[in-house]
Amino acid sequence: MKKTMRKAYAKINLTLDVLERLPNGYHTVRMVMQTVSLHDEVTVELDGTGKTTLRCSLPYLPVDGSNLACRAAELFYRETGIPDPGTAIRLEKRIPVAAGLAGGSTDAAAVLRALDELHGTALGDGRLCELGLRLGADIPYCLLGGTMLAEGIGERLRRLPDCPKASVVLIKPSFSVSTAAIYAAMDAHQPTARPDTEGMLRALEAGDLAEICHRLYNVMEPVTGARNWEIREIRGRLLDCGAMGAVMSGSGPTVYGVFREQARAEAAWQTLKREFPECHLCEIL
């Protein structure tokens, strides 16, 4: 039996701009994404049973064909023509669920990487990203990671200079949001403010963490925040605890703060985790 374990890293949005709705219902975006050290552990084993099975540390998550991890395995075998020898997938979840951190997408990306390794197919980044895009617009980014500009529906990726090292405190409130509902609200009311994406690119080129934090912006935050006052409260609490900047990730509801000094981030985490159970301390990767 062959077995491998991969870390599936979360992403945050340094900027997020929604440009237009396409006829197929998707939206074009322009956003800067960043990998952080918070991760799930994805174990994949070829067990000889002749079928794909999934176990998860969170009992409320589906473990059938609706889970992106299972769908990734099914797609891999279908597209490579390799018969499924039996694939046991185990997800040890640490990334909050439905949080704007690409938790499901990064698990699917890890499964694709793991199966490519176990079967020795050497598909390469390009082919893996093609497969991943069939499952979700975030998956190509999750396959590659790092600091990236994403355009189109999120699939057109350009590598950017690495974001300076920093500590990050992430807080997911006790509720989730519907991405579809947030997009629908944005379609009805166009944003009045947009991120300074070009300024963010210059700040990354200069390696200036203060300027990066000054330009953190997400056009979805005012929409999600208008429906959930806790978003604004969490952002304020992070700034009060010394974050250089704070913003919502994705369609939310997770809000994160960036800290230059690890000691200050740890102090903020120790304080805020008493108020918010899903509070995580991690690093820019």
Side-chain angles (χ1 to χ4, degrees):
M1 292 186 291
K2 291 177 154 182
K3 182 177 181 179
T4 188
M5 189 279 285
R6 301 192 70 89
K7 293 180 179 179
Y9 292 101
K11 67 86 185 169
I12 56 175
N13 293 91
L14 302 182
T15 66
L16 195 163
D17 200 3
V18 179
L19 304 179
E20 63 176 336
R21 187 179 189 277
L22 301 174
N24 62 8
Y26 283 95
H27 290 76
T28 58
V29 295
R30 192 166 192 246
M31 54 190 178
V32 177
M33 298 199 285
Q34 175 63 50
T35 305
V36 293
S37 61
L38 179 64
H39 64 274
D40 296 339
E41 289 186 356
V42 180
T43 303
V44 180
E45 181 178 8
L46 305 183
D47 63 3
T49 62
K51 62 181 180 179
T52 294
T53 58
L54 175 65
R55 291 185 299 151
C56 182
S57 60
L58 297 180
Y60 54 83
L61 285 185
V63 292
D64 56 16
S66 65
N67 191 294
L68 271 177
C70 286
R71 291 171 58 197
E74 177 187 356
L75 180 64
F76 175 88
Y77 288 119
R78 184 169 69 246
E79 291 302 312
T80 60
I82 298 172
D84 186 350
T87 303
I89 304 169
R90 166 73 181 176
L91 303 181
E92 187 67 35
K93 293 293 294 180
R94 296 190 180 97
I95 302 171
V97 175
L101 302 172
S105 294
T106 196
D107 291 344
V111 169
L112 290 173
R113 287 281 189 201
L115 290 174
D116 189 42
E117 173 191 336
L118 290 171
H119 288 286
T121 41
L123 295 179
D125 289 345
R127 180 64 173 143
L128 287 171
C129 286
E130 287 177 14
L131 296 180
L133 183 58
R134 298 192 198 180
L135 299 170
D138 278 346
I139 296 179
Y141 170 77
C142 293
L143 282 159
L144 302 175
T147 311
M148 290 266 197
L149 175 68
E151 297 179 288
I153 62 170
E155 87 289 4
R156 286 168 29 211
L157 299 170
R158 173 159 65 93
R159 178 75 61 189
L160 299 174
D162 292 341
C163 184
K165 297 299 182 185
S167 296
V168 176
V169 176
L170 295 142
I171 297 174
K172 180 189 180 287
S174 58
F175 59 87
S176 297
V177 299
S178 165
T179 299
I182 300 303
Y183 271 117
M186 294 192 69
D187 290 338
H189 303 284
Q190 289 299 304
T192 57
R194 294 188 180 275
D196 178 11
T197 307
E198 294 304 318
M200 178 63 77
L201 299 184
R202 290 192 298 271
L204 286 165
E205 184 69 38
D208 190 329
L209 185 61
E211 287 299 308
I212 289 167
C213 291
H214 180 66
R215 286 171 172 79
L216 298 175
Y217 191 75
N218 179 349
V219 294
M220 289 185 162
E221 183 174 333
V223 180
T224 305
R227 299 170 174 222
N228 303 281
W229 59 268
E230 295 97 325
I231 301 289
R232 297 188 297 277
E233 178 191 15
I234 292 170
R235 186 173 183 273
R237 294 289 289 118
L238 285 163
L239 293 171
D240 288 345
C241 286
M244 298 173 68
V247 72
M248 189 182 80
S249 184
S251 58
T254 300
V255 181
Y256 69 88
V258 179
F259 296 77
R260 189 187 300 275
E261 299 89 8
Q262 184 178 4
R264 180 165 285 191
E266 288 179 353
W269 173 64
Q270 291 288 351
T271 297
L272 294 170
K273 70 179 182 178
R274 301 188 193 109
E275 303 174 48
F276 306 100
E278 287 203 84
C279 180
H280 301 268
L281 175 64
C282 57
E283 305 292 326
I284 295 284
L285 288 183

